[in-house]
Structures are given as structure tokens and as C-alpha cells.
Amino acid sequence: MSLVTDLVCVCCGRVSADAPLRCTCEACGPARGILDVRYDMAAARKTMTWEALADRPLNHWRYRELLPLDDCPDWPVGWSPIVEAPRLAGELGVRRLRLKDEGRNGTASFKDRASSVGVARALAAGATTIACASTGNAATSLAGYAAVAGLPAVIFVPRTAPAPKIAQLLIYGATVFRVQDSYAAAYDLCSQACDSFGWYNRNCAINPYLVEGKKTAGLEIAEQCRDDPPDWVAVSVGDGCTIAGIGKGLEQMRELGLIGWRTRLLGVQAAGMAPVAKAFHGEACEVNALPGTLADSINVAVPRNLDKAVRAVRASGGRYIEVSDQAILAAMRDTGRLAGLFAEPAAATAVAGVRCAVRHGIIAPDASVLAMITGNGLKDIDAASRAAGAPVDIPPRLEEVRRYCEQ
Ligand SMILES: *Cc1c(COP(=O)(O)O)cnc(C)c1O
Ligand SMILES: [Zn+2]
């Protein structure tokens, strides 16, 4: 049995019961009525102890007390490594930097945490087909875990979806509808299709149970850094579910008495698409005037989890910050060359945010920082090529190599 007690609306506080297809608050609607899942924490405290955790498998199902499932599958998701990056720390001007490498998840992004929970919930609800509209990692991870579970997946992508991600979707056996229109049109068509055909709609940002999957990264940070907490955790922000989930995971570990420390959250957005950062600082934001960013995974003009994302950072005593696309490309290069990690633009955004926060005196030079590397760089080869430049073309002659090296 899951320990979910109920769901509470972050907007009006209304409480609703756990139900297979519950999504948003009936009173507030899908735009504002984002729900938060609550658990019987007293019961969780009894069984989720350090002793018990020591014997559990190294994947995110180890936190089953805090997941919205009666039975957890055993798919390998989560427990991504945290690596020290001393040379990158030096470059950014901070005493210590650790990177949590989410690119090592099954489909190479952080979204596996959410999608694996989504697919498990769909199976439990008796779904026969799962669908979503997305261009990016949410769709590819959904298709990947649907394949693992043997559940047919239908994905609606907009005309502009990047080729590598479409290839990944097709390889996982999903039916991919490339809608000859915008993302909004693909999203609407997906909703209509789900209503008409009874498919399980894995709405990426508003489904409260998916945030519970993202939360496991916060639970893991608490466990992996148990005796050695970071002062800051840096996270890139699009819809805001990732940072809200990490904040919730860390708080729940405190509530269970498993850790006694707090860490500040640094929310990082691309300057060309920073509605959450602007809301955090009380600045007006004209959605249609936002120029956008090359970091496609966080190129989100209407963040679906704005309230949760702002609150999580505020509650942690943290900050939001904006970085330019140039700074994101530089962070991709530095993360590769100084830490050996290939980050997609949205992942390198967290690293760019650390550099910027140190420069502005938000993060002190003697601080210990953990940055979330949310997705692998192979997801977006065009951006990587822009960041890294071209190889040296030469004829097959040693003197050419020597000439180059002596330059
Ligand atoms: C989705 C995503 C994010 C941001 O997560 P949100 O929940 O949209 O804030 C960051 N990085 C990568 C690689 C992502 O795919
Ligand atoms: Zn409500």
C-alpha cells in the first residue's frame, strides 16, 4: 500500500483524494490548481530509516514510502553518481563543486525519474496506451519506460522537434505524430485524442505524481551527502517541477529526521526565457516578448509549476539567477573539458548559474556547491558543435600534425 494520504491544491488549499487519474484542483483549474501529494509521514518514519535503506537496491524505488505507488517496479532509475569537480570549481571561483550526473539515467536525462513513476501509475490504473505531447526529454523518457513496461506510447511532437529526439522516440517503438503546427497545437491534439480514445495522458508538468518522481533526486542528495552537505544546490528551471521536486525531497528527509541540515537552492534560467526568475524577483514579464533560448529543455514561456518553483527556492533561503546563451555554451565547454561530463545546454545552465552567482556575490567563494547535470549532451549535437567548434582538418601527414602543434 502507498502511504499517500491526500493531495492539496497549492493555490487554494483544497484537499482531494488520491485517484488514478487525478491531475489538477477542480476549483482552480489546470492553470493554477497544481496539486501536491501528501504522505503519512509518521508511518514513513517507522520504516524508512538509515538501517533499512542500507539494504535496499541502488535505484530511486528505494524510497518507496515516499512514492505514490502500491508496488514499485525494479527498473533501473536514479541513484546517479555525484562526482567531485575540483578543476571546474577552480574555474568557477568556488571552493568545492560536485556534479550529480543525471545523464546516466536510462534515456540520458533527469526526466526518467518522473516518467518511470508516470508509467508505473498508468499500469496501476489499468491503462492500455500512454500518450503525451512534448518535444524533449519528457517524451523520450516516457517512450523508454513505456517500452520497458510493454505499454504502447503515442507521442505528439510539433513540426520543429529536434531530429535526435525524434529518432530516440522511434527507437523506443513509440508512435510519433509530427503535428504540422506549434507545440500548443500538438498539446491540444494530444488532449483531444486522450479524451476520445481513453489513453492515459501523461501531461508532463501538471501531473502531481510525476513531481513525486522528480523528488527522488532531492531524497538522493540528502542520502548521498548525508554527512557532508552542500551549501547550495544549483538547478536549471523550465516548468519548475524539477527544482520544486528537489526542494520537496530534501524537506521530506528533514521531516523524517534523516538529515538535520538545509541547503539553499539556486534556480537558474536562461536570460531569454526567464519567467520564473522574473516572478521570483517581482518583475513583470511579457510572455510574447521573450526571445527564447538555445537550451530547448528549458525554453518554457508559460511555466506550469511557477508557484511551486518560486516557493521551493524561497523556503530554502535561495535565489534565482539568469544566464545568457553565451554563458551556457561556455559552461558546456568547461564542464566537458574540466570535469569530463558532456552536458546538454539545459544541464550546463546550472553550471553557468554557479559562475554567475559567485561573480555577483550570491555564492561565497568558500562555499560547497552541488550542480545538477540534468541531461546528456548527445541529446543536442547542434548546440554542442556551436559550443565546441570544429576539428582540425589535415591531410594524413606527420608534418601537418607537427606544424599544428608548433603553432
Ligand atoms: C525538463 C528539464 C529541465 C527543467 O525541468 P523543469 O521541471 O521543466 O523545470 C532541466 N534540464 C533538462 C535536461 C530537462 O530535460
Ligand atoms: Zn485549488
Side-chain angles (χ1 to χ4, degrees):
M1 272 303 286
S2 96
L3 295 180
V4 173
T5 51
D6 52 24
L7 293 84
V8 61
C9 173
V10 298
C11 184
C12 74
R14 196 168 133 145
V15 173
S16 34
D18 187 18
L21 298 175
R22 173 89 53 216
C23 229
T24 48
C25 171
E26 275 155 30
C28 301
R32 292 314 291 264
I34 300 297
L35 296 174
D36 189 43
V37 183
R38 298 196 292 194
Y39 297 81
D40 180 346
M41 296 300 275
R45 193 186 258 267
K46 288 195 191 118
T47 55
M48 206 174 111
T49 60
W50 288 132
E51 294 69 42
L53 286 169
D55 291 332
R56 295 189 186 177
L58 296 178
N59 56 47
H60 80 163
W61 312 111
R62 64 198 272 101
Y63 307 112
R64 53 184 175 247
E65 285 87 346
L66 300 180
L67 288 170
L69 295 165
D70 290 336
D71 293 299
C72 289
D74 60 0
W75 310 328
V77 191
W79 202 259
S80 58
I82 292 180
V83 297
E84 296 284 345
R87 294 200 301 136
L88 185 55
E91 165 67 28
L92 302 184
V94 75
R95 177 177 60 85
R96 185 170 176 204
L97 179 70
R98 283 173 278 185
L99 305 174
K100 188 159 169 62
D101 185 8
E102 291 291 315
R104 297 211 210 173
N105 275 302
T107 80
S109 90
F110 182 94
K111 294 288 194 297
D112 285 5
R113 297 178 182 276
S115 292
S116 57
V117 172
V119 170
R121 288 265 322 176
L123 284 179
T128 51
T129 297
I130 190 163
C132 93
S134 160
T135 65
N137 293 329
T140 50
S141 71
L142 183 75
Y145 286 94
V148 171
L151 194 61
V154 182
I155 313 291
F156 295 79
V157 302
R159 189 170 34 83
T160 54
K165 287 175 179 171
I166 293 183
Q168 202 182 0
L169 291 169
L170 292 167
I171 280 288
Y172 292 138
T175 302
V176 181
F177 288 116
R178 182 156 53 192
V179 183
Q180 300 301 304
D181 205 326
S182 67
Y183 172 64
Y187 191 95
D188 287 346
L189 186 59
C190 177
S191 302
Q192 288 171 31
C194 288
D195 291 346
S196 304
F197 308 128
W199 298 340
Y200 185 89
N201 194 352
R202 184 256 199 236
N203 269 339
C204 307
I206 60 172
N207 185 325
Y209 302 105
L210 299 181
V211 177
E212 296 306 296
K214 294 190 169 188
K215 180 182 81 182
T216 61
L219 302 174
E220 280 178 23
I221 292 169
E223 185 170 3
Q224 291 171 309
C225 302
R226 177 180 166 184
D227 301 317
D228 188 11
D231 301 308
W232 288 86
V233 173
V235 186
S236 63
V237 176
D239 274 311
C241 316
T242 302
I243 198 162
I246 290 172
K248 181 173 181 182
L250 287 162
E251 264 318 299
Q252 285 192 322
M253 291 297 263
R254 280 173 52 84
E255 244 184 288
L256 293 183
L258 292 172
I259 56 167
W261 45 267
R262 276 212 161 86
T263 184
R264 292 170 197 265
L265 295 177
L266 182 72
V268 189
Q269 290 215 285
M273 192 52 90
V276 184
K278 293 213 162 36
F280 182 85
H281 290 111
E283 292 165 31
C285 180
E286 181 51 59
V287 171
N288 296 321
L290 295 171
T293 169
L294 66 84
D296 73 298
S297 300
I298 52 168
N299 196 22
V300 179
V302 184
R304 308 282 167 180
N305 243 314
L306 181 80
D307 292 342
K308 270 191 189 177
V310 167
R311 278 180 212 188
V313 171
R314 200 158 275 147
S316 78
R319 276 283 297 266
Y320 270 92
I321 198 164
E322 299 177 23
V323 296
S324 69
D325 279 7
Q326 284 314 312
I328 292 171
L329 291 173
M332 284 179 75
R333 273 194 303 277
D334 290 339
T335 306
R337 133 188 111 83
L338 299 172
L341 282 191
F342 189 6
E344 73 161 87
T349 299
V351 173
V354 173
R355 185 188 335 247
C356 183
V358 172
R359 271 196 197 141
H360 286 87
I362 295 165
I363 293 182
D366 68 348
S368 167
V369 181
L370 188 149
M372 296 297 294
I373 304 300
T374 44
N376 187 287
L378 287 170
K379 296 270 193 174
D380 188 349
I381 286 304
D382 285 348
S385 302
R386 271 181 73 183
V392 185
D393 286 321
I394 54 164
R397 283 196 299 274
L398 182 62
E399 57 271 31
E400 296 289 339
V401 180
R402 181 174 293 123
R403 173 135 47 105
Y404 177 83
C405 293
E406 284 169 354
Q407 259 172 35

